[in-house]
Amino acid sequence: MLNSVRKRYLGCLAGIFSLALASSQLPSGPDAEPDVLVLKGRVIDGTGAAPLEQGLVILAAGKIQYIGKQGSRDYPATARVLDVGDGTILPGLIDLHVHLRPHYWDAFLPAGITTVRDANNALATLRTLQQDTAARPRLLYTGPMLDGPTTIMKRFFPDSLVARYVRPATAGPIGELIAQQVETPAQARAAVDSLAAHGASFVKLYEQLPLAAYQAAAAQARKRGLRVMTDLGMLQTRGLKGAQVDALQALQAGVHSIEHASGYALAYQRLGGDPMAPLDTRLIDQLARATVRGRTTLVPTLSVFYGTVQPDSARQDLATLPGGKAIPAPMMAWFEQQARQHTPASRGRASADLRLAQALVRRVHQLGGLIGAGTDVPAGDYNLPGGNLHRELALLVEAGLPPVAAIQAATGTAARLLGLPTLGTLRRGNLADVVVVAGNPAQDIRATRRVRYVIQAGRVLTLQ
Ligand SMILES: [Zn+2]
């Protein structure tokens, strides 16, 4: 088995950069590799540093043993050497915002994504995913989110489903729930405790939570060692009316990440601005500075707006993404159905959300703040599981990030947010999560789409 994998691997190597990765050529799964694996090529290490040309990365025992220039270090003659030519060696990518389902669980690793953060899901679904023994990304999750009494689920689901999937905190087992309804600080603390007991590493605080309950949940999460992600009001969801907590209040509560640049439109409005009118750079600066001061990671998920604002481009662009040439018909039909639901007014609101998020991304980055990459798959339109993280990288570049900073958003900064210091950067001693792409993404960020090798904790996933 091992030999045949190696043969396939070396055969692949011979024609590495002429291969087109279609979904029928997905990695077949992990296999043991030789003790030492040597990669030669351009290195972008995930710290935001400039690329290292003619780099040398030595992997052994699932870890990065050495990183430097070619010729700067010897390695055993028995080591397997992969010279990736003009390709680029990156840390394994991290999608910070996904909603997983079993039918696209296999889409992430072939896209170079070795770690995902699930941002709201039933614990029962997460257990099913975790029991899957095939090679899958590392999974961190929030479990069911905390929302207020007027939870958003009431807008999307009939009463019968709301009754099944959304319950007040402390109303019994939470395995099936997708939201816990929380009205008081005491309920908030109980909801956080139940998530901690179920292995969540993050708590997701949603837009309709009353402020006092929000603050209590954030404080309880800190006490239990959980991190906090938050998704607040946006123009395109329910408008800003029902939302109670704005981004400045969330930052004060000490949240670790703000998703979709949500809550900023409400804060902007409360500061006297109109988020639908031309943006006031002074207000943007004020909000960005507060974000940077809080050391909070802005996870703008530009992808979730882009498909709504520019549906034609988003549809056409799908084929350039990993997995985008063979999208299953039901998924494509679902994309089209979602896209048809929009009106000019809803596209206008999404456009204002996108514009605000882009302005914040640019300013937060200029001020030295933290930007993280996430897609919110499968929300929004034409948001392809796995592949769309590569679109997110391009959108971050369009918003004003240098390409290496966009890559950092999906690697080093993302791992920092997850509290996983041995992931996300190519540093000696870190876990050997590595992706090789064709070409130079520091010059053209779209090069990340041409994924050639995916290595997770030292295990190479072969392209067949
Ligand atoms: Zn989401």
Side-chain angles (χ1 to χ4, degrees), residues 97-99 119 204 231 260 376 379:
H97 194 126
V98 300
H99 301 278
K204 181 174 182 179
D231 182 344
H260 326 304
D376 204 8

Side-chain angles (χ1 to χ4, degrees), residues 43-51 365 397 401-411 440-443 445:
V43 177
I44 296 179
D45 68 4
T47 66
H365 177 69
V397 171
L401 262 56
V404 290
I407 290 167
Q408 185 185 11
T411 54
N440 184 359
Q443 283 179 354
I445 192 65

Side-chain angles (χ1 to χ4, degrees), residues 41-101:
R42 179 185 305 103
V43 177
I44 296 179
D45 68 4
T47 66
L52 171 70
E53 298 292 338
Q54 298 184 314
L56 172 72
V57 180
I58 303 177
L59 309 178
K63 292 193 174 164
I64 298 170
Q65 298 293 315
Y66 179 78
I67 178 160
K69 274 280 204 190
Q70 285 173 33
S72 65
R73 171 65 68 103
D74 291 332
Y75 46 82
T78 54
R80 185 158 307 281
V81 179
L82 302 178
D83 186 334
V84 304
D86 188 44
T88 302
I89 302 157
L90 307 168
L93 301 176
I94 299 170
D95 190 334
L96 285 172
H97 194 126
V98 300
H99 301 278
L100 294 172
R101 298 289 179 272

Side-chain angles (χ1 to χ4, degrees), residues 238-262:
R238 281 181 287 187
L240 304 178
K241 266 196 173 156
Q244 307 214 20
V245 178
D246 67 37
L248 291 175
Q249 292 168 322
L251 291 167
Q252 252 169 12
V255 301
H256 295 82
S257 70
I258 297 187
E259 311 298 304
H260 326 304
S262 62

Side-chain angles (χ1 to χ4, degrees), residues 27-365:
S28 59
D31 210 322
E33 278 300 305
D35 289 337
V36 180
L37 183 63
V38 175
L39 300 167
K40 293 181 174 180
R42 179 185 305 103
V43 177
I44 296 179
D45 68 4
T47 66
L52 171 70
E53 298 292 338
Q54 298 184 314
L56 172 72
V57 180
I58 303 177
L59 309 178
K63 292 193 174 164
I64 298 170
Q65 298 293 315
Y66 179 78
I67 178 160
K69 274 280 204 190
Q70 285 173 33
S72 65
R73 171 65 68 103
D74 291 332
Y75 46 82
T78 54
R80 185 158 307 281
V81 179
L82 302 178
D83 186 334
V84 304
D86 188 44
T88 302
I89 302 157
L90 307 168
L93 301 176
I94 299 170
D95 190 334
L96 285 172
H97 194 126
V98 300
H99 301 278
L100 294 172
R101 298 289 179 272
H103 67 275
Y104 50 75
W105 188 208
D106 61 359
F108 292 89
L109 270 186
I113 298 165
T114 55
T115 305
V116 298
R117 181 178 64 161
D118 188 286
N120 185 43
N121 219 327
L123 291 162
T125 305
L126 294 164
R127 295 284 170 262
T128 305
L129 296 169
Q130 285 176 317
Q131 280 160 12
D132 185 342
T133 54
R136 303 292 185 220
R138 205 172 281 103
L139 169 60
L140 288 86
Y141 58 88
T142 66
M145 65 187 184
L146 275 58
D147 201 3
T150 51
T151 172
I152 197 168
M153 298 304 159
K154 289 187 178 170
R155 175 177 155 184
F156 292 125
F157 298 119
D159 287 350
S160 58
L161 287 184
V162 171
R164 180 169 171 196
Y165 295 120
V166 184
R167 261 183 252 137
T170 71
I174 63 169
E176 293 278 312
L177 303 188
I178 49 179
Q180 296 192 77
Q181 279 177 289
V182 167
E183 199 166 2
T184 66
Q187 287 174 338
R189 286 189 284 273
V192 171
D193 287 350
S194 64
L195 293 171
H198 282 89
S201 46
F202 273 81
V203 171
K204 181 174 182 179
L205 303 184
Y206 208 61
E207 63 172 56
Q208 305 278 317
L209 277 170
L211 180 61
Y214 190 100
Q215 291 166 330
Q220 189 71 3
R222 256 198 309 281
K223 206 167 150 189
R224 294 271 175 242
L226 304 187
R227 293 177 178 228
V228 179
M229 70 185 301
T230 195
D231 182 344
L232 303 165
M234 286 186 288
L235 295 164
Q236 74 156 347
T237 48
R238 281 181 287 187
L240 304 178
K241 266 196 173 156
Q244 307 214 20
V245 178
D246 67 37
L248 291 175
Q249 292 168 322
L251 291 167
Q252 252 169 12
V255 301
H256 295 82
S257 70
I258 297 187
E259 311 298 304
H260 326 304
S262 62
Y264 287 92
L266 185 58
Y268 186 93
Q269 197 177 62
R270 288 175 174 172
L271 291 171
D274 174 3
M276 295 296 287
L279 293 175
D280 181 335
T281 51
R282 283 171 311 125
L283 294 184
I284 295 296
D285 183 67
Q286 188 177 338
L287 295 170
R289 283 181 190 280
T291 310
V292 176
R293 262 198 311 277
R295 300 299 288 159
T296 297
T297 304
L298 178 63
V299 182
T301 67
L302 302 171
S303 305
V304 83
F305 308 115
Y306 174 77
T308 304
V309 176
Q310 298 196 43
D312 294 338
S313 310
R315 188 191 298 109
Q316 282 160 21
D317 188 50
L318 283 173
T320 70
L321 300 172
K325 287 194 176 74
I327 299 173
M331 184 180 285
M332 199 63 212
W334 189 78
F335 285 164
E336 299 291 3
Q337 186 203 335
Q338 291 290 108
R340 275 197 298 274
Q341 289 176 1
H342 286 285
T343 62
S346 68
R347 289 193 199 284
R349 288 194 296 275
S351 184
D353 280 326
L354 177 60
R355 189 186 53 159
L356 181 63
Q358 288 168 326
L360 286 162
V361 164
R362 197 158 38 243
R363 193 67 189 130
V364 166
H365 177 69

